[in-house]
Coordinates of all heavy atoms in Angstrom, one line a residue:
Chain R
G206 N 6.2 10.1 36.1 CA 5.7 10.2 34.7 C 5.4 8.8 34.1 O 5.3 7.9 34.9
I207 N 5.2 8.8 32.8 CA 4.7 7.6 32.1 C 3.7 6.8 33.0 O 3.8 5.6 33.1 CB 5.8 6.7 31.5 CG1 6.8 6.1 32.4 CG2 6.5 7.4 30.3 CD1 7.6 4.9 31.8
R208 N 2.7 7.5 33.5 CA 1.8 6.9 34.4 C 0.8 6.0 33.7 O 0.0 5.3 34.3 CB 1.1 8.0 35.2 CG 2.1 8.6 36.2 CD 1.6 10.0 36.7 NE 0.4 9.8 37.6 CZ 0.4 9.5 38.9 NH1 1.6 9.3 39.5 NH2 -0.7 9.5 39.6
L209 N 0.8 6.1 32.3 CA -0.1 5.2 31.5 C 0.6 3.9 31.2 O 0.1 3.1 30.5 CB -0.5 5.9 30.2 CG -1.7 6.9 30.4 CD1 -1.2 8.2 31.0 CD2 -2.4 7.1 29.1
S210 N 1.9 3.8 31.7 CA 2.6 2.5 31.5 C 2.6 1.8 32.8 O 3.0 2.3 33.9 CB 4.0 2.8 31.1 OG 4.8 1.7 31.2
N211 N 2.2 0.5 32.8 CA 2.2 -0.3 34.0 C 3.7 -0.6 34.3 O 4.4 -1.1 33.5 CB 1.4 -1.6 33.8 CG 1.6 -2.5 34.9 OD1 2.5 -3.3 35.0 ND2 0.6 -2.5 35.8
T212 N 4.0 -0.3 35.6 CA 5.4 -0.7 36.1 C 5.1 -1.5 37.4 O 4.5 -0.9 38.3 CB 6.2 0.6 36.4 OG1 6.1 1.5 35.3 CG2 7.7 0.2 36.6
A213 N 5.7 -2.6 37.5 CA 5.4 -3.4 38.7 C 6.6 -4.4 39.0 O 7.4 -4.7 38.1 CB 4.1 -4.3 38.5
G214 N 6.7 -4.7 40.3 CA 7.7 -5.7 40.7 C 7.2 -7.1 40.4 O 6.0 -7.3 40.2
L215 N 8.1 -8.0 40.3 CA 7.7 -9.4 40.1 C 8.3 -10.3 41.2 O 9.4 -10.0 41.7 CB 8.3 -9.9 38.8 CG 8.0 -9.1 37.5 CD1 8.8 -9.7 36.3 CD2 6.5 -9.0 37.2
A216 N 7.6 -11.3 41.7 CA 8.2 -12.1 42.7 C 8.1 -13.6 42.2 O 7.1 -14.0 41.7 CB 7.4 -12.0 44.0
F217 N 9.2 -14.3 42.5 CA 9.3 -15.7 42.0 C 9.6 -16.6 43.3 O 10.6 -16.4 43.9 CB 10.4 -15.9 41.0 CG 10.2 -15.0 39.8 CD1 10.7 -13.7 39.8 CD2 9.6 -15.5 38.7 CE1 10.6 -12.9 38.6 CE2 9.4 -14.7 37.5 CZ 9.9 -13.4 37.5
D218 N 8.7 -17.5 43.6 CA 8.9 -18.4 44.7 C 9.0 -19.8 44.2 O 7.9 -20.4 44.0 CB 7.8 -18.1 45.7 CG 8.0 -19.0 46.9 OD1 9.1 -19.6 47.1 OD2 7.0 -19.1 47.7
E219 N 10.2 -20.3 43.9 CA 10.3 -21.6 43.4 C 9.4 -21.9 42.2 O 8.7 -22.8 42.1 CB 10.1 -22.7 44.4 CG 11.0 -22.5 45.6 CD 11.4 -23.8 46.3 OE1 10.5 -24.7 46.3 OE2 12.5 -23.9 46.8
V220 N 9.5 -20.9 41.2 CA 8.6 -21.0 40.0 C 9.2 -22.1 39.1 O 10.4 -21.9 38.6 CB 8.5 -19.7 39.3 CG1 7.7 -19.8 38.1 CG2 7.9 -18.7 40.3
Y221 N 8.5 -23.1 38.8 CA 9.0 -24.1 37.9 C 8.8 -23.8 36.4 O 7.7 -23.5 36.0 CB 8.4 -25.5 38.2 CG 8.9 -26.6 37.2 CD1 10.1 -27.2 37.5 CD2 8.1 -26.9 36.1 CE1 10.5 -28.2 36.6 CE2 8.6 -27.9 35.2 CZ 9.8 -28.5 35.5 OH 10.3 -29.5 34.6
V222 N 9.9 -23.8 35.6 CA 9.8 -23.7 34.2 C 10.5 -24.9 33.5 O 11.6 -25.3 34.0 CB 10.3 -22.3 33.6 CG1 9.5 -21.2 34.1 CG2 11.8 -22.2 33.9
P223 N 9.9 -25.4 32.5 CA 10.6 -26.5 31.8 C 11.9 -26.1 31.2 O 12.1 -24.9 30.8 CB 9.6 -27.0 30.8 CG 8.7 -25.8 30.6 CD 8.7 -25.1 31.9
A224 N 12.8 -27.0 31.0 CA 14.2 -26.7 30.5 C 14.1 -26.0 29.1 O 14.9 -25.2 28.7 CB 15.0 -27.9 30.4
E225 N 13.0 -26.4 28.3 CA 12.8 -25.8 27.0 C 12.6 -24.3 27.0 O 12.6 -23.6 26.0 CB 11.7 -26.5 26.2 CG 10.4 -26.2 26.8 CD 9.3 -27.3 26.4 OE1 9.7 -28.5 26.5 OE2 8.2 -26.9 26.1
N226 N 12.3 -23.7 28.3 CA 12.1 -22.3 28.4 C 13.3 -21.5 28.6 O 13.3 -20.3 28.7 CB 11.1 -22.0 29.5 CG 9.6 -22.3 29.1 OD1 9.4 -23.1 28.2 ND2 8.7 -21.7 29.7
L227 N 14.5 -22.2 28.7 CA 15.7 -21.5 28.8 C 16.1 -21.0 27.3 O 16.3 -21.8 26.4 CB 16.8 -22.5 29.2 CG 18.3 -22.0 29.1 CD1 18.6 -20.8 29.9 CD2 19.2 -23.2 29.4
I228 N 16.2 -19.7 27.2 CA 16.4 -19.1 25.8 C 17.7 -19.6 25.3 O 18.8 -19.3 25.9 CB 16.2 -17.6 25.8 CG1 14.7 -17.3 26.1 CG2 16.6 -17.0 24.5 CD1 14.4 -15.8 26.1
G229 N 17.7 -20.2 24.1 CA 18.9 -20.7 23.5 C 19.4 -22.0 24.0 O 20.4 -22.6 23.5
L230 N 18.6 -22.6 25.0 CA 18.9 -23.9 25.6 C 20.4 -24.0 26.1 O 20.9 -25.1 26.2 CB 18.7 -25.0 24.6 CG 17.2 -25.1 24.0 CD1 17.1 -26.2 23.0 CD2 16.2 -25.3 25.1
K231 N 21.0 -22.9 26.4 CA 22.3 -22.9 26.9 C 22.5 -21.9 28.0 O 22.1 -20.7 27.8 CB 23.3 -22.6 25.7 CG 24.7 -22.9 26.0 CD 25.6 -22.9 24.8 CE 27.1 -22.9 25.2 NZ 27.9 -21.9 24.5
E232 N 23.0 -22.3 29.1 CA 23.1 -21.4 30.3 C 24.3 -20.4 30.0 O 25.2 -20.7 29.3 CB 23.4 -22.2 31.5 CG 22.2 -23.0 32.0 CD 22.4 -23.9 33.2 OE1 23.5 -23.8 33.8 OE2 21.6 -24.7 33.5
G233 N 24.2 -19.3 30.7 CA 25.3 -18.4 30.8 C 25.4 -17.4 29.6 O 26.4 -16.6 29.5
Q234 N 24.4 -17.4 28.7 CA 24.4 -16.5 27.6 C 23.6 -15.2 27.8 O 23.6 -14.4 26.9 CB 23.7 -17.2 26.4 CG 24.3 -18.6 26.0 CD 25.8 -18.4 25.6 OE1 26.1 -17.7 24.7 NE2 26.7 -19.0 26.3
G235 N 23.1 -15.0 29.0 CA 22.2 -13.9 29.3 C 22.7 -12.5 29.0 O 22.1 -11.8 28.3
F236 N 24.0 -12.3 29.5 CA 24.5 -10.9 29.3 C 24.8 -10.7 27.8 O 24.6 -9.6 27.3 CB 25.7 -10.7 30.2 CG 25.4 -10.5 31.6 CD1 26.4 -10.7 32.6 CD2 24.2 -10.1 32.0 CE1 26.1 -10.5 33.9 CE2 23.9 -10.0 33.4 CZ 24.8 -10.2 34.3
L237 N 25.4 -11.7 27.2 CA 25.7 -11.6 25.8 C 24.4 -11.3 25.0 O 24.4 -10.4 24.1 CB 26.3 -12.9 25.2 CG 27.8 -13.1 25.7 CD1 28.2 -14.5 25.1 CD2 28.6 -12.0 25.1
Q238 N 23.4 -12.0 25.3 CA 22.1 -11.8 24.6 C 21.5 -10.4 24.8 O 21.0 -9.8 23.9 CB 21.1 -12.9 25.0 CG 21.4 -14.3 24.4 CD 20.7 -15.4 25.1 OE1 20.0 -15.2 26.1 NE2 20.9 -16.6 24.6
A239 N 21.7 -10.0 26.1 CA 21.2 -8.6 26.4 C 22.0 -7.6 25.7 O 21.5 -6.7 25.1 CB 21.2 -8.4 27.9
Q240 N 23.3 -7.8 25.7 CA 24.2 -6.8 25.1 C 24.1 -6.7 23.5 O 24.2 -5.7 22.9 CB 25.6 -7.0 25.5 CG 26.0 -6.3 26.8 CD 27.1 -7.0 27.5 OE1 27.8 -7.8 27.0 NE2 27.2 -6.6 28.8
A241 N 23.8 -7.9 23.0 CA 23.7 -8.0 21.5 C 22.6 -7.0 20.9 O 22.8 -6.6 19.8 CB 23.4 -9.4 21.1
V242 N 21.6 -6.7 21.7 CA 20.6 -5.9 21.2 C 20.6 -4.4 21.7 O 19.7 -3.6 21.4 CB 19.2 -6.5 21.4 CG1 19.0 -7.7 20.6 CG2 19.0 -6.8 22.9
F243 N 21.6 -4.1 22.6 CA 21.6 -2.8 23.2 C 21.6 -1.7 22.1 O 21.0 -0.7 22.2 CB 22.8 -2.6 24.1 CG 22.5 -2.9 25.5 CD1 23.4 -3.2 26.4 CD2 21.2 -2.7 26.0 CE1 23.2 -3.5 27.8 CE2 20.8 -3.0 27.3 CZ 21.8 -3.4 28.2
G244 N 22.4 -1.9 21.1 CA 22.5 -0.9 20.0 C 21.2 -0.6 19.4 O 20.8 0.6 19.3

Side-chain angles (χ1 to χ4, degrees):
Chain R
I207 58 163
R208 293 163 65 84
L209 280 78
S210 167
N211 174 276
T212 314
L215 310 176
F217 302 86
D218 181 13
E219 302 210 329
V220 177
Y221 177 79
V222 295
E225 69 203 39
N226 282 23
L227 164 65
I228 293 181
L230 300 181
K231 191 166 167 227
E232 293 175 7
Q234 304 298 301
F236 287 160
L237 284 178
Q238 288 162 354
Q240 272 153 13
V242 290
F243 265 157

